[in-house]
Amino acid sequence: MKHNEAAIKAGSTNIVLSLMLKILVVVVIVFTIIVIKQKYINVGYDISRLSAKIESKEINLQSLQEAYNALADKDRLYKKGKAMGMKFPENTKVYYVE
């Protein structure tokens, strides 16, 4: 009888350990899923912030391009030069040097 009681006790210990191992595995899986979801949310926020930065930079670039185009306008440069007393060189006074 003592042998049967020891076997039953060992069997119940094995069942308890098996159950604890299964619970531990489930807890680890749930924890992993939560961590992965949190990482996905953080990546989503990072993408959103970067998209906003890109949009801001594109607006800034467009503004700078418009300013450049306005400053590089040939008519404006011609008028500025004329106002400063500059004139186009005469064709007879142009020398090409190699």
Side-chain angles (χ1 to χ4, degrees):
M1 286 279 208
K2 285 191 174 189
H3 182 62
N4 284 341
E5 288 176 13
I8 291 172
K9 200 171 199 181
S12 70
T13 303
N14 285 341
I15 291 172
V16 170
L17 288 176
S18 174
L19 182 61
M20 288 177 62
L21 181 63
K22 288 177 184 176
I23 291 172
L24 180 64
V25 168
V26 168
V27 168
V28 167
I29 289 172
V30 168
F31 181 74
T32 304
I33 290 171
I34 291 171
V35 168
I36 290 172
K37 276 189 158 189
Q38 185 65 33
K39 292 291 182 181
Y40 279 137
I41 291 170
N42 288 342
V43 167
Y45 283 129
D46 289 343
I47 290 171
S48 177
R49 275 190 295 259
L50 290 174
S51 294
K53 277 186 177 181
I54 288 171
E55 188 175 328
S56 171
K57 297 292 181 184
E58 286 175 346
I59 290 170
N60 191 22
L61 175 64
Q62 185 178 3
S63 171
L64 290 173
Q65 284 176 337
E66 288 174 3
Y68 172 80
N69 289 336
L71 291 173
D73 182 36
K74 289 181 183 178
D75 292 333
R76 187 188 84 70
L77 291 174
Y78 178 76
K79 288 176 185 175
K80 280 277 197 186
K82 194 109 169 144
M84 293 170 64
M86 296 180 172
K87 59 183 177 179
F88 279 111
E90 297 174 14
N91 288 339
T92 59
K93 295 184 179 180
V94 176
Y95 302 102
Y96 296 98
V97 179
E98 290 188 32

